[in-house]
Amino acid sequence: MSQSADPDLERHAAVSGGPSDSLLTVRNLQTHFFSREGVVKAVDGVSFDIRPGEILGIAGESGCGKSVTSQSILRILPKNGKIVEGEILFNYGDRTVDLIQEDADGAVLRDIRGKEIAMIFQEPMTAFSPVHTIGDQIIETIRIHQQVSKEEAHEQALEMLRRVGMPSPARNIDQYTFNLSGGMRQRAMVALSLSCRPKLLIADEPTTAVDVTIQAQMLELLRDIQADLGMAIIMITHDLGVIAELTDRVMIMYLGKEVEHGTVEDVFHRPQHPYTRGLLTSIPKMEPGRVEIEPIEGAVPSPYAMPTGCKFHTRCPDYIEGVCEKQDPPLVEVARGHEVSCYLYGGREGLE
């Protein structure tokens, strides 16, 4: 589909500003879920940027808002989810559009999904239809976003399967997902996501459901493809080993909040937030004859009963009574490009 073919796309050439240096800019993103039990603030004021060709990691325990952040970017939230505030600015052609202001089913987002921003999901079996071959689904994606014949799309699909290391691509292009091994399904999913050479790839826990051998292959594949295509990647995972191996910068989230953000070097070697330190010390350590694990005390609170103040203070070993429970601490820059949200480093001036 060409951009000029749709009046909604043409309209944005006039009303949107020029592009910034960042490929994607997220500001004060707030995504809530509404149910009979109450309101869940799944993402509660998150801000970050990603530049072309950069790899950003988003890490934290399950339930901390990582996946909802990615779903918000592509506007693929469940029906009871709603973005209530914020901006998601994306460089779309020669202009910048706010994805929050777009119709989730409108022409602009339909054009962006798959073509400009693609996503790798955790489980390939849910990403593919079981009643169509992987080739048919890759070909369909290519033809939705490019004006090419079915034969040309077939050749592009074959080339992408070769590029991601699919064994016997000429044969496996006609296979269904249930005919493929776990590693082959992962490669097929990467091929599907990259079939239109997107500017940004969001990888949501892509190595969680596979063994360590396939995980290593996936990380090497993503690194090679990223270098080859020059695309940006947002890697969402609870596995800090994946973050350390693949990403340039990392944002640590807890209960919908950004608690620390910096380069991988800074965050891993000079962690400032007690939660970040807890995540790092909870990584299993292999000792002669035993495995050492130092877990974070307590559990992630119920989303329907969020703590007041700093959301981590109920589990924090450095809790400051009379301070931490009052309000969320602001982000404080502790070094160039290294920010942390913790009263240990300042920000108490506005407290009563």
Side-chain angles (χ1 to χ4, degrees), residues 102-213:
E102 298 298 329
D103 179 355
D105 299 316
V108 172
L109 272 163
R110 290 200 311 271
D111 194 52
I112 286 173
R113 292 189 196 108
K115 176 183 173 185
E116 304 277 336
I117 305 176
M119 192 163 183
I120 298 176
F121 295 93
Q122 179 175 338
E123 177 46 62
M125 291 295 278
T126 61
F128 283 99
S129 164
V131 298
H132 298 93
T133 66
I134 62 167
D136 284 344
Q137 293 173 75
I138 297 172
I139 289 167
E140 180 185 24
T141 299
I142 292 170
R143 296 196 71 198
I144 285 173
H145 295 293
Q146 300 178 37
Q147 293 181 329
V148 296
S149 68
K150 189 172 183 179
E151 291 73 23
E152 290 174 306
H154 184 274
E155 285 305 311
Q156 289 184 35
L158 263 180
E159 175 56 31
M160 189 54 70
L161 286 171
R162 291 189 195 100
R163 178 166 286 191
V164 301
M166 173 69 77
S168 305
R171 178 170 60 85
N172 285 321
I173 194 171
D174 295 322
Q175 298 295 318
Y176 297 88
T177 48
F178 53 80
N179 297 131
L180 303 175
S181 68
M184 291 164 70
R185 285 197 295 266
Q186 288 280 15
R187 290 179 187 275
M189 185 169 58
V190 174
L192 175 67
S193 301
L194 300 181
S195 58
C196 293
R197 298 171 179 264
K199 296 177 184 175
L200 173 63
L201 176 68
I202 301 173
D204 188 359
E205 299 276 10
T207 62
T208 297
V210 297
D211 61 38
V212 292
T213 302

Side-chain angles (χ1 to χ4, degrees), residues 86-97:
E87 293 180 318
I88 302 175
L89 306 176
F90 181 69
N91 278 1
Y92 178 52
D94 60 355
R95 56 199 185 275
T96 299
V97 294

Side-chain angles (χ1 to χ4, degrees), residues 259-260 266-267 270-277 316 318 320 323-324 329-335 338-349:
V259 298
E260 189 160 357
D266 280 342
V267 173
R270 290 171 289 279
Q272 303 296 305
H273 200 282
Y275 179 59
T276 308
R277 294 199 294 268
C316 183
D318 298 315
I320 306 168
V323 174
C324 296
L331 279 170
V332 176
E333 191 171 53
V334 292
H338 188 180
E339 296 180 318
V340 61
S341 173
C342 181
Y343 285 122
L344 293 173
Y345 307 98
R348 304 188 201 181
E349 296 80 6

